[in-house]
Amino acid sequence: MADEAGALMHVAMTVNGSTVAVEIDPSEPLAQTLRYRLGLTGTKVSCDVQACGACTVLVDGLPRSACTFLAYEARDRAVLTVEGLAPAEGVLSPLQQAFIDANAFQCGFCTSGMLVAAHALLTSEADADDEALIEYMSGNLCRCTGYLPIVSAILVAREALGSRRPASGG
Ligand code: FES
Ligand code: FES
C-alpha cells in the first residue's frame, strides 16, 4: 500500500526464506530493492533492459529479470537470490562448487544470474537433456568466459544432484 505522500509503498515479501518488510518506490525494479534496500548485492545489473540475464532471480520459483520486474509485483511472493543458493553459511551448493571447479567464470558479473537460472533448471526441469539445458540457459549471456565451462559446470552439478532420471531399462 502507498503511504500518504504517495511516494513509497510498504510491502512484504519472502526473500531467501525470510519474510522482509520494506518501503519501495512503486516504479522501483526488484534489483534496486534487493541491492540498495536489503543489501543483497549478489544480484547484478548489466544491460538493465531484460536482455542479458545478469539480474536473474526467482519469484515463486520462476526466473525473472530483476532489472525490469517491479518490486511491488513481488509483494507477498517468494524471492530467491544467489545469496539463497548456499545450503548453509560457508557451505556451497553442488552447483556453486561446480562453477568453481570448472572455472566457469572470469569477471563473475554474469555468474549470479547463471547460478540462479541453472538452479531453476535443475530443480524444475531435472530431466532436461543437454540440448534443452543449453536452450534454457540461452537467455543468460557471458561476455568473457565462454559458455563451455558454464555448461560443463551445470552438467556436473546435475550429476552431483542426481537430478537426471535414470534411463529406463530397455
Ligand atoms: S541486467 Fe537484467 S537482464 Fe540484463
Ligand atoms: S564471467 Fe564475465 S561476463 Fe560472464
Side-chain angles (χ1 to χ4, degrees), residues 44-56 65-68:
K44 305 303 183 192
V45 176
S46 182
C47 70
D48 215 10
V49 292
Q50 200 177 339
C52 75
C55 63
T56 303
S65 295
C67 67
T68 54

Side-chain angles (χ1 to χ4, degrees), residues 29-90:
L30 181 57
Q32 185 174 329
T33 306
L34 294 170
R35 288 179 55 82
Y36 301 113
R37 299 193 190 277
L38 299 177
L40 296 171
T41 55
T43 299
K44 305 303 183 192
V45 176
S46 182
C47 70
D48 215 10
V49 292
Q50 200 177 339
C52 75
C55 63
T56 303
V57 300
L58 304 188
V59 179
D60 285 347
L62 296 177
R64 301 294 187 193
S65 295
C67 67
T68 54
F69 191 91
L70 295 178
Y72 86 85
E73 294 183 278
R75 67 194 184 285
D76 302 325
R77 301 171 76 177
V79 178
L80 181 72
T81 73
V82 69
E83 288 91 346
L85 295 184
E89 189 169 343

